[in-house]
Amino acid sequence: MAGTFFIMIACFTWALDTLIRYPLLGAGYSTLQIVLIEHLTLVLFVSPMLWRYRHVYRHMSISCFSCLFFIGGIGSAMGTLAFTEAFHYLNPTVVILLQKLQPIVAILLAYWLLKERIEGNFLRWAGVILFGSFVMMWPDLRLLGDAQWHYSSDSVSILKGYGYTLIAVIAWGAATVCGKYLSHQHMPANAIMSGRFVAGLLVLLPLALAQSDSLTTMTSVDFSLVIVMALLSGFIGMWFYYQGLKTVPAQLATLAELSFPVFAAAINWLFLDMGLTAYQIVGGLVLILGNIGLRIKELRKPTVILPVHKT
């Protein structure tokens, strides 16, 4: 069970991240600036790991290099930027609802690329987990019928909103599968994590240079908060995530990632005095117990032992 719990711990750190990230965005700093400083901090922090695993990077195959670059450059950097940008065009509920497609993307890619079988038992438990996720959203989904879905009637702006959202969904879903692929190639979890941060920084630096006018001077307090956030959700969170990904299939990992809104709701209740609704409590319990039940069912599968032929 450790793998599933490790991924849930990662989701908990990502939820704590929101206590810092959203106030920083509200203070007028751009998403690009915050994510760039995060990656700069993380690359400096993991530089000893980069040196330690230099032989791993030097002997990577083209497919492993492509996966590592995708995880960092597309999944981490571009996915985060695209998801944040989507909120400028679409109602947040619509964006979060579409984000629920991420497990479907990861499960299908894992089936196609990693040959992870999609069994009836898995589909039943996945249905339970997704049901719990939608129960948590039900109050917002009910209000969505009377709410404004798009912030502009311009068709180009609407397409941009959906496009940015789907880019993030595909990038994050595929990044989970790429991470599992590297694990299959026996690449150390810390090497994957460190390489992810470098790849993300390499993509963010040209974007920052192209949009240098959007970067503003950050106060020492806010700069310190970004560093704390990077080490909390970036280093600690990603360490737990890749340790968990070593032991669970990609299709289980992507469902465990759905525990993020459960922890986000709990943190809002604990730190921001925002009450929990019955839908959040029931949906969250269904989602967490569904992940635990699915993992227990997977662990109880009989192991096939091939006969040894003596010569």
Side-chain angles (χ1 to χ4, degrees):
M1 292 298 299
T4 296
F5 285 133
F6 278 174
I7 292 173
M8 288 183 177
I9 291 172
C11 290
F12 177 71
T13 66
W14 300 339
L16 282 173
D17 166 306
T18 59
L19 294 175
I20 303 175
R21 188 177 303 275
Y22 288 114
L24 288 172
L25 290 171
Y29 302 115
S30 68
T31 304
L32 177 59
Q33 181 174 3
I34 294 171
V35 177
L36 175 66
I37 295 174
E38 281 183 278
H39 279 74
L40 280 169
T41 302
L42 290 166
V43 169
L44 290 174
F45 193 76
V46 302
S47 54
M49 291 185 185
L50 293 170
W51 177 254
R52 177 184 176 185
Y53 293 110
R54 63 191 184 280
H55 65 284
V56 175
Y57 303 126
R58 193 180 299 127
H59 296 100
M60 278 195 306
S61 65
I62 295 176
S63 59
C64 286
F65 177 83
S66 300
C67 283
L68 188 60
F69 185 82
F70 186 95
I71 292 170
I74 307 302
S76 182
M78 297 304 294
T80 302
L81 293 174
F83 187 73
T84 306
E85 191 67 20
F87 285 91
H88 295 298
Y89 300 96
L90 301 179
N91 185 307
T93 303
V94 176
V95 177
I96 294 169
L97 179 62
L98 290 174
Q99 192 264 337
K100 303 300 180 189
L101 295 173
Q102 181 186 332
I104 298 174
V105 172
I107 290 167
L108 292 177
L109 284 176
Y111 172 77
W112 180 41
L113 297 175
L114 305 180
K115 310 305 178 187
E116 291 185 3
R117 296 174 59 189
I118 302 176
E119 300 176 345
N121 180 65
F122 169 79
L123 289 176
R124 286 190 289 273
W125 280 102
V128 170
I129 295 166
L130 289 170
F131 174 74
S133 182
F134 283 114
V135 168
M136 289 190 68
M137 285 191 66
W138 180 244
D140 293 324
L141 293 177
R142 284 194 306 177
L143 296 174
L144 195 59
D146 300 321
Q148 185 181 6
W149 282 43
H150 316 115
Y151 293 143
S152 172
S153 57
D154 177 29
S155 59
V156 174
S157 297
I158 294 172
L159 288 174
K160 280 184 178 179
Y162 286 110
Y164 282 128
T165 306
L166 291 177
I167 287 171
V169 166
I170 294 171
W172 289 340
T176 299
V177 176
C178 287
K180 188 62 186 180
Y181 174 81
L182 293 175
S183 182
H184 280 320
Q185 303 305 308
H186 307 293
M187 189 171 182
N190 286 342
I192 300 172
M193 179 182 68
S194 305
R196 172 195 180 112
F197 298 146
V198 173
L201 182 61
L202 290 176
V203 170
L204 289 168
L205 281 174
L207 292 175
L209 291 173
Q211 302 179 33
S212 56
D213 55 334
S214 67
L215 306 181
T216 59
T217 304
M218 188 172 282
T219 66
S220 58
V221 173
D222 290 341
F223 189 79
S224 300
L225 288 174
V226 176
I227 293 175
V228 170
M229 181 174 64
L231 297 180
L232 174 66
S233 64
F235 181 75
I236 297 175
M238 284 300 168
W239 186 88
F240 275 108
Y241 179 78
Y242 285 114
Q243 292 298 323
L245 196 60
K246 286 195 303 185
T247 60
V248 298
Q251 55 184 213
L252 269 66
T254 193
L255 291 174
E257 290 173 42
L258 288 177
S259 61
F260 168 78
V262 179
F263 295 121
I267 286 168
N268 288 340
W269 171 57
L270 289 171
F271 295 100
L272 303 179
D273 199 27
M274 297 174 63
L276 290 173
T277 66
Y279 289 104
Q280 288 175 319
I281 294 171
V282 173
L285 285 173
V286 171
L287 195 154
I288 296 295
L289 293 175
N291 270 291
I292 294 173
L294 175 58
R295 186 57 179 153
I296 290 173
K297 202 72 176 178
E298 289 288 317
L299 292 172
R300 286 179 177 173
K301 282 184 179 178
T303 302
V304 178
I305 300 176
L306 298 177
V308 177
H309 297 283
K310 295 181 180 181
T311 56

